[in-house]
Amino acid sequence: MMDVIPWGLNAELTDDQFFNRERDMLFLTKLLDSTKDGIPPALLLTGIRGVGKTALLNKLKNNLKKDYLIVYLDLSSSNNYQEDKLSRMAFMQLFYKRIIESCKEYGLKTIDKQIESWFKTHNISLKNIFNIDGVPVPIVGFEEDYTKLADFVMNLPRNIYEKYSDEMDGILIFIDEFQLIKDLDDETNGFLWYLRSFIQTEKNVSYTFTGSMSMEDSLLGEINGAKGAFGGRMLTYQIEPFSYETTKRYLIERAGHLEFSDDGFERFYKCTRGIPFYINTFVRFLMPGEILDNEKVSLEFANVLPFLAINLINDWKNLSKQEQKIITTLLDEPLRRVDIARNLDVTSGAIGASLNNLLNKGLIMYEESRYAVSDRILSAWLKNEYDRRGVYPYRDF
Ligand SMILES: Nc1ncnc2c1ncn2[C@@H]1O[C@H](COP(=O)(O)OP(=O)(O)OP(=O)(O)O)[C@@H](O)[C@H]1O
Ligand SMILES: [Mg+2]
């Protein structure tokens, strides 16, 4: 029975595991499918961490992969990102690699030969081609070569469609963890405009961007705000957490072995806020045989916190000490920048970079001139650690 509750880190859910989202699926499938009529949508799927964006993308992919060549790329899987920060070049190399892999999965047998001939016509020298996991990837060092490569890669989907249009209805490109392009810092905006110059003229290639972004995220404005690169031409669609009722239905249908009292379920919903990642992780830890009331759920919540917070703890460990201090300063209430600085005993100017980094990582948000911790699970975990050990788990400890 537990098999129908996926683990929190499963990104590809079976049909039995995938719950709810019928309306999202219907709407998005229909929209994406208009690519075959030559009106490809450009989509931006937003939603907080763990809400199920990647799971939804995978489901869409499975539904559409017969008719469309689907290229899924996860920016966090870029080698470059793993080591340091995402760069434009790393983006292009990853994109290129995933295009080729997808062509092979789709069964386009002549693609290697075809690519080679395109390299030649684009004057990309073959001696610069490296093999990454069996896919030849051109590596170029100079800035003008970057431009050449980037133009080549961005035109590739269109060229593939033109060459193989008998075999597909179109090409769907899903770019996940798109918020990582904030790593490009000053270049982010220029890069978005660059992408747009290709995307907006596509006829049979659709782009869907997803990432954990809240509605307040400044990246949203840069992408799709009035002055943003896509200036409102991209359809923004928010993936919502499960509602109170949906969560209830989910537990009854998929975790019927657990028995909640009314206030126990209410507590469960307060703890998880309907976020599937939290719901599933929590459910996996609850034992049958005992009525789960408010008290019991609260108790178990404290035990499961390190698992709920697993991604957040990972982020936490990679923060500088100052960044960590800023977060603990914000645990009780949102604060203005000057007040944070005062608490840390430094000038307001001295925390600018840290604040930016925390905002970029989505760990804090800025609302009504105050900074606040974005995810209450992080706050709960930190407070819990403090209660247990008398100190926060700062970097040096
Ligand atoms: N429709 C669903 N039905 C059941 N469980 C789901 C559903 N969607 C997501 N989940 C659960 O939530 C977990 C997290 O989902 P997913 O990785 O898709 O979130 P995400 O929004 O992409 O998060 P992140 O921003 O961290 O990438 C999944 O591993 C799964 O356990
Ligand atoms: Mg995801």
Side-chain angles (χ1 to χ4, degrees):
M1 184 208 286
M2 279 305 247
D3 295 345
V4 295
I5 300 270
W7 286 103
L9 297 171
N10 285 9
E12 271 197 65
L13 308 188
T14 63
D15 285 343
D16 288 340
Q17 292 175 329
F18 194 86
F19 189 75
N20 193 33
R21 307 275 185 230
E22 288 86 4
R23 257 196 293 163
D24 299 316
M25 283 297 298
L26 219 67
F27 177 75
L28 294 171
T29 305
K30 203 168 160 188
L31 209 66
L32 288 169
D33 202 27
S34 59
T35 304
K36 72 172 183 308
D37 307 318
I39 35 172
L43 272 170
L44 181 60
L45 300 185
T46 65
I48 51 180
R49 271 188 207 202
V51 80
K53 300 174 297 291
T54 303
L56 189 74
L57 272 189
N58 276 318
K59 178 98 171 153
L60 285 167
K61 182 174 169 212
N62 279 335
N63 284 5
L64 290 159
K65 71 180 177 197
K66 276 203 193 67
D67 302 329
Y68 291 93
L69 172 71
I70 300 182
V71 182
Y72 172 86
L73 68 149
D74 173 352
L75 295 190
S76 71
S77 74
S78 152
N79 287 333
N80 190 274
Y81 171 73
Q82 298 282 335
E83 282 160 27
D84 181 24
K85 281 171 123 196
L86 187 73
S87 66
R88 295 179 304 167
M89 182 63 106
F91 177 98
M92 287 305 161
Q93 282 171 355
L94 179 67
F95 191 17
Y96 174 77
K97 175 170 174 267
R98 292 297 301 131
I99 292 173
I100 304 301
E101 285 169 349
S102 309
C103 286
K104 293 190 171 164
E105 280 157 30
Y106 197 77
L108 302 182
K109 295 211 174 55
T110 56
I111 191 71
D112 283 338
K113 281 248 140 11
Q114 189 55 53
I115 293 281
E116 240 173 74
S117 87
W118 281 331
F119 276 156
K120 284 194 190 115
T121 53
H122 281 76
N123 246 332
I124 293 182
S125 106
L126 282 168
K127 70 173 186 307
N128 287 330
I129 297 181
F130 284 64
N131 233 350
I132 299 183
D133 305 336
V135 176
V137 177
I139 309 274
V140 274
F142 304 107
E143 193 57 13
E144 66 247 43
D145 283 344
Y146 161 77
T147 311
K148 214 191 296 180
L149 173 71
D151 287 355
F152 177 76
V153 174
M154 290 305 295
N155 278 313
L156 199 51
R158 188 182 309 182
N159 287 332
I160 291 172
Y161 177 78
E162 275 165 18
K163 181 84 193 164
Y164 299 99
S165 57
D166 291 346
E167 298 177 51
M168 61 183 77
D169 284 346
I171 300 182
L172 307 180
I173 291 160
F174 296 158
I175 304 183
D176 203 358
E177 303 289 350
F178 191 59
Q179 79 281 357
L180 292 177
I181 65 148
K182 284 191 274 194
D183 275 3
L184 300 180
D185 298 326
D186 301 348
E187 292 174 350
T188 304
N189 203 258
F191 189 65
L192 285 169
W193 282 89
Y194 175 77
L195 289 184
R196 177 206 132 144
S197 67
F198 291 90
I199 293 173
Q200 72 165 1
T201 55
E202 293 294 357
K203 294 275 184 298
N204 307 89
V205 181
S206 160
Y207 279 81
T208 300
F209 300 95
T210 343
S212 42
M213 284 170 250
S214 65
M215 278 323 207
E216 305 89 48
D217 200 312
S218 61
L219 180 63
L220 272 188
E222 278 191 72
I223 298 174
N224 210 30
K227 288 187 185 145
F230 288 87
R233 266 167 288 216
M234 210 181 243
L235 192 95
T236 309
Y237 189 83
Q238 171 112 319
I239 312 294
E240 302 289 349
F242 289 178
S243 69
Y244 189 85
E245 285 311 318
T246 303
T247 307
K248 201 166 215 173
R249 205 157 45 82
Y250 183 60
L251 292 188
I252 291 171
E253 281 181 34
R254 305 284 164 92
H257 58 293
L258 297 177
E259 212 178 325
F260 286 91
S261 70
D262 283 351
D263 66 346
F265 176 73
E266 236 163 78
R267 172 60 50 195
F268 180 88
Y269 191 73
K270 273 208 186 100
C271 291
T272 60
R273 282 165 297 131
I275 298 166
F277 174 81
Y278 294 145
I279 295 176
N280 289 347
T281 307
F282 201 173
V283 159
R284 286 244 170 206
F285 275 83
L286 293 172
M287 289 294 153
E290 194 178 356
I291 298 220
L292 299 162
D293 57 11
N294 185 8
E295 210 176 323
K296 181 78 183 149
V297 173
S298 305
L299 200 75
E300 292 296 341
F301 182 59
N303 292 331
V304 79
L305 263 174
F307 299 94
L308 297 181
I310 198 154
N311 295 325
L312 295 160
I313 294 172
N314 222 2
D315 287 351
W316 168 266
K317 285 186 178 152
N318 288 319
L319 297 177
S320 70
K321 180 117 180 217
Q322 186 183 63
E323 288 159 354
Q324 294 181 337
K325 289 247 168 188
I326 291 176
I327 290 193
T328 52
T329 304
L330 295 173
L331 287 181
D332 290 326
E333 53 173 350
L335 292 174
R336 292 176 307 155
R337 179 166 173 170
V338 283
D339 296 321
I340 299 173
R342 189 172 312 126
N343 273 316
L344 267 64
D345 221 6
V346 294
T347 63
S348 192
I351 56 171
S354 293
L355 285 173
N356 257 344
N357 191 35
L358 290 169
L359 283 170
N360 278 351
K361 292 213 158 82
L363 292 170
I364 61 170
M365 53 190 187
Y366 183 66
E367 242 177 358
E368 292 171 8
S369 319
R370 278 164 219 272
Y371 295 90
V373 181
S374 314
D375 197 322
R376 268 183 283 158
I377 295 289
L378 180 60
S379 313
W381 174 71
L382 285 168
K383 285 181 186 165
N384 201 254
E385 287 296 292
Y386 188 85
D387 287 346
R388 285 192 325 137
R389 316 199 297 174
V391 282
Y392 291 112
Y394 289 127
R395 201 164 236 288
D396 299 356
F397 288 85

